[in-house]
Amino acid sequence: MSRRFAVLVALTVVCAGAELVAGRAMSPAVVWDVLGGGGDTTERHILLQLRLPRLLVALGAGACLGVAGLVLQSALRNPLAGPEVTGVTPGAVLGAVVATSLGLAGWESPLAVVVAACVGGCAGAALLWLLAGRGRGDPAQTAVHGVLVSAVLGGLTAMVLLVDPGELGSVVQWLVGTTEGRVWQHWHLLWPWALAWGVAAWLLTGPLTLLRCGDELALAAGLSVRRARTLALLCAVALTAGAVAAVGALGFVGLLVPHLAVAVFGADLRVTLPGAALVGAAVVCGADATAQLSSRLLAAALDSGRLTLPVGVLTACLGAALLLVVVRRAPSRTF
């Protein structure tokens, strides 16, 4: 198991290095020169004030979404559960958009956006819970209801933008998901939130493991199922809200990462949950590096001076493909 963690840490480091050298304006040789203490003022500013915080935010957001997805799938005992298909992510996006439209994003404390995203995520999860009703134990049916909830919340977000179209430029980051323009302020906001709720998620690994085995077994073991599930859902919503407030709606990361983490580390959540954080960090960081490299190639091919491919586009395509695979497998497997 320690060898698997070592390999995953090495992969994350490789992805981080690729993201540092993938951007425009500086060649890899210049990046390594700046890391060694060289470079001029402009080069040091680009690397230390733009690329490095962007890298850290990508790692932190990926870890949040990976842990949130694993907590949701374990608490709901549903392989199709994830922040994107349970109303949590679109609800958090709606909360962030509303906060921006009301001018809360301009406060000295950007924590207001995180709180608004958290409220929106809770509202989205509650809406799915009410809509699913007795069918919430059916993975496929829950996923269908989640798509409906996401559509409704997406429509409400569009209505907010129609009422105040001037805010479109400032909220597009939450609609698509991007790490473009992330600076140290975003990182200083994200890491305490991610650390606090990540520790809370790890403390819930015992109850979550019992919930994965079924409510009957959990009750027989003396677990308060309702309380444990409520705390787990609150933790997942908070982690998703922090990630959304930092980078926007990175599509299907919370669905993709838990399946990869369970495949690598097994069903022991004491090990798998930190593994999901590492896998999520590596996935988002690697996708961001790929998006930057693809942007450079497309800009050269199309003779466009400035072309940016948001990382959310890549994660959404990859996660959607995985969702199709999971849906096909879900009826024939026991979670």
Side-chain angles (χ1 to χ4, degrees):
M1 192 64 68
S2 59
R3 180 177 301 177
R4 296 178 184 178
F5 266 109
V7 171
L8 186 54
V9 169
L11 177 61
T12 305
V13 171
V14 170
C15 292
E19 181 165 2
L20 281 179
V21 303
R24 299 181 177 91
M26 288 196 305
S27 66
V30 174
V31 171
W32 297 122
D33 182 45
V34 174
L35 289 176
D40 58 30
T41 303
T42 301
E43 292 167 345
R44 287 196 296 271
H45 176 80
I46 292 174
L47 182 64
L48 301 179
Q49 301 301 323
L50 298 179
R51 291 193 184 184
L52 186 56
R54 174 175 180 163
L55 166 64
L56 293 175
V57 169
L59 292 172
C64 284
L65 292 174
V67 172
L70 182 59
V71 169
L72 278 174
Q73 291 181 10
S74 301
L76 299 179
R77 200 168 179 263
N78 187 341
L80 301 180
E84 304 84 2
V85 294
T86 53
V88 177
T89 292
V93 170
L94 176 60
V97 170
V98 171
T100 302
S101 299
L102 294 177
L104 300 183
W107 288 4
E108 292 184 2
S109 174
L111 185 63
V113 179
V114 179
V115 173
C118 190
V119 172
C122 289
L127 182 58
L128 173 63
W129 190 257
L130 293 175
L131 184 60
R134 294 182 179 179
R136 64 173 63 100
D138 184 352
Q141 187 173 352
T142 300
V144 171
H145 284 118
V147 171
L148 294 176
V149 170
S150 298
V152 170
L153 295 174
L156 293 176
T157 301
M159 290 177 60
V160 174
L161 294 178
L162 288 175
V163 172
D164 192 4
E167 295 292 341
L168 180 59
S170 59
V171 302
V172 69
Q173 57 179 323
W174 289 304
L175 300 178
V176 180
T178 180
T179 57
E180 185 79 14
R182 296 305 178 266
V183 293
W184 285 112
Q185 184 182 19
H186 296 92
W187 170 243
H188 294 322
L189 169 67
L190 177 61
W191 79 261
W193 185 272
L195 180 62
W197 288 104
V199 170
W202 191 83
L203 293 176
L204 289 171
T205 51
L208 285 172
T209 301
L210 289 175
L211 290 176
R212 287 174 67 91
C213 298
D215 289 0
E216 295 80 6
L217 182 59
L219 288 171
L223 178 68
S224 176
V225 172
R226 183 183 297 273
R227 179 181 300 175
R229 181 169 285 121
T230 299
L231 291 175
L233 293 177
L234 176 61
C235 185
V237 169
L239 286 167
T240 302
V244 168
V247 299
L250 294 181
F252 294 106
V253 173
L255 177 63
L256 166 68
V257 168
H259 291 276
L260 296 177
V262 171
V264 173
F265 297 104
D268 186 355
L269 294 188
R270 293 172 300 177
V271 177
T272 306
L273 192 137
L278 270 177
V279 174
V283 166
V284 174
C285 187
D288 194 26
T290 303
Q292 293 185 65
L293 291 172
S294 300
S295 298
R296 293 175 61 180
L297 294 175
L298 288 174
L302 300 177
D303 195 21
S304 174
R306 183 64 175 173
L307 179 62
T308 301
L309 180 64
V311 62
V313 174
L314 294 183
T315 59
C317 293
L318 182 61
L322 177 73
L323 179 60
L324 293 177
V325 174
V326 175
V327 168
R328 290 176 63 89
R329 292 180 58 192
S332 60
R333 58 174 274 189
T334 301
F335 183 64

